[in-house]
Amino acid sequence: MPEARLGLERLRLTEAQGRREAQARISLLAQSEAMALGVRYRRIMLRDQRSRWGSCSTTGTLSFNWRLVLAPHDVLDYVVVHEVCHLVEHNHSKSFWSLVAKRRPQYLEPKQWLDEHSWEILAYQPPARTIAA
């Protein structure tokens, strides 16, 4: 296992706090990107997956791992754009990746960051509740 480098063990972010923050940030990005692409999604769901960052159902539900809020903004942005692009291309074809690249030309950097650090974010164990200072 690689050495932890993000310092997440110092965070006191509860799951409820993380979900609220993720909902706000993801919703803004998804609305903006859907408008830019001329598509609509049905709803946004936050989950606690152990291996996925996002998904797009055939009915238009966008699901995201709430722990994305622990990643840098450009990483969260990339995942949201990736899933919204699935509303246009429901696969990982060349056309899909061309659309992602058109929307976020530098997408490979946040994708690589996520590949390198996802284990650490997924390992984050939030406290049951906040601790008073």
Side-chain angles (χ1 to χ4, degrees):
M1 183 74 85
E3 183 179 330
R5 297 180 294 186
L6 299 179
L8 298 179
E9 68 282 353
R10 296 186 302 267
L11 284 182
R12 303 306 317 153
L13 182 76
T14 66
E15 183 173 343
Q17 291 168 326
R19 284 177 177 272
R20 281 192 299 274
E21 181 67 20
Q23 183 71 44
R25 290 173 58 191
I26 289 168
S27 293
L28 283 174
L29 289 167
Q31 287 172 16
S32 175
E33 197 59 27
M35 279 184 53
L37 289 173
V39 295
R40 293 178 153 225
Y41 55 89
R42 197 170 121 229
R43 66 182 172 156
I44 291 175
M45 294 186 62
L46 294 178
R47 300 185 183 269
D48 191 18
Q49 300 105 312
R50 299 312 298 166
S51 62
R52 297 186 104 167
W53 294 111
S55 63
C56 175
S57 75
T58 56
T59 61
T61 296
L62 301 175
S63 298
F64 298 94
N65 191 321
W66 74 265
R67 284 179 169 83
L68 278 169
V69 78
L70 301 172
H73 176 77
D74 64 328
V75 173
L76 182 140
D77 177 76
Y78 156 69
V79 174
V80 173
V81 169
H82 179 113
E83 297 309 330
V84 173
C85 285
H86 277 309
L87 295 168
V88 177
E89 291 284 338
H90 300 281
N91 53 52
H92 285 110
S93 66
K94 190 174 187 177
S95 296
F96 168 79
W97 288 109
S98 292
L99 181 59
V100 172
K102 180 179 177 185
R103 299 303 306 152
R104 295 298 184 276
Q106 302 299 321
Y107 81 91
L108 287 174
E109 292 171 24
K111 184 178 186 302
Q112 182 179 357
W113 189 96
L114 199 54
D115 289 344
E116 292 173 13
H117 299 282
S118 61
W119 69 270
E120 197 169 346
I121 293 174
L122 290 170
Y124 178 72
Q125 292 298 314
R129 57 186 170 78
T130 56
I131 299 170

